[in-house]
Amino acid sequence: MPLISLCMIVKNEAKMLGRCLDSISDLIDEIIVVDTGSIDETKRVVAAYEAKIYDFPWQDDFAAARNYAVSQAVGDYWMWLDADDVIDPESHDKLRKIFADPGADVVFLPYYLQFDAFGAP
């Protein structure tokens, strides 16, 4: 099975980050977090997941920060999430199958921003 690196860029995400990392930590081999200037407890949250954390001065350029995060990854594949993203439990088996036999260079998954009162995206 290939090694999977999660690459994230964050700033002041202490309140959301744990929920995100809890939702994905059993599926990945490495967590890389690039902090662009947090002044809250973000780094302490990241440390609880044995993640690699790097400081990167914000340059008003998400691509520069993301590319720096990816440059730190050692996995065969990398994925990214924002700190407020969550991988739902129903998707774990799907992701494990994809990771076990990728068969593609890129995989895009559905991304739901919010749900209505009936649970529909």
Side-chain angles (χ1 to χ4, degrees):
M1 186 183 230
L3 295 176
I4 309 297
S5 298
L6 172 64
C7 300
M8 302 180 73
I9 56 174
V10 300
K11 182 177 180 183
N12 295 328
E13 296 288 358
K15 292 181 181 177
M16 301 300 296
L17 193 53
R19 181 173 173 246
C20 173
L21 295 175
D22 284 344
S23 80
I24 191 72
S25 62
D26 65 319
L27 296 172
I28 56 174
D29 302 294
E30 172 184 51
I31 300 171
I32 302 206
V33 176
V34 170
D35 189 290
T36 61
S38 294
I39 57 172
D40 67 356
E41 297 296 317
T42 295
K43 290 181 182 180
R44 198 160 92 190
V45 172
V46 171
Y49 292 87
E50 298 181 19
K52 298 174 185 172
I53 188 159
Y54 300 91
D55 291 314
F56 187 84
W58 180 242
Q59 301 171 5
D60 203 26
D61 183 352
F62 284 100
R66 187 155 334 271
N67 289 340
Y68 179 75
V70 170
S71 75
Q72 304 306 312
V74 298
D76 302 302
Y77 294 93
W78 59 269
M79 65 182 298
W80 76 82
L81 295 172
D82 290 332
D84 59 348
D85 290 337
V86 176
I87 303 296
D88 66 308
E90 295 80 30
S91 296
H92 281 218
D93 286 338
K94 292 176 188 176
L95 284 170
R96 281 189 184 95
K97 287 177 186 175
I98 291 168
F99 294 162
D101 184 21
D105 292 331
V106 176
V107 175
F108 289 98
L109 300 173
Y111 191 90
Y112 302 113
L113 295 177
Q114 63 186 30
F115 296 88
D116 65 18
F118 304 102

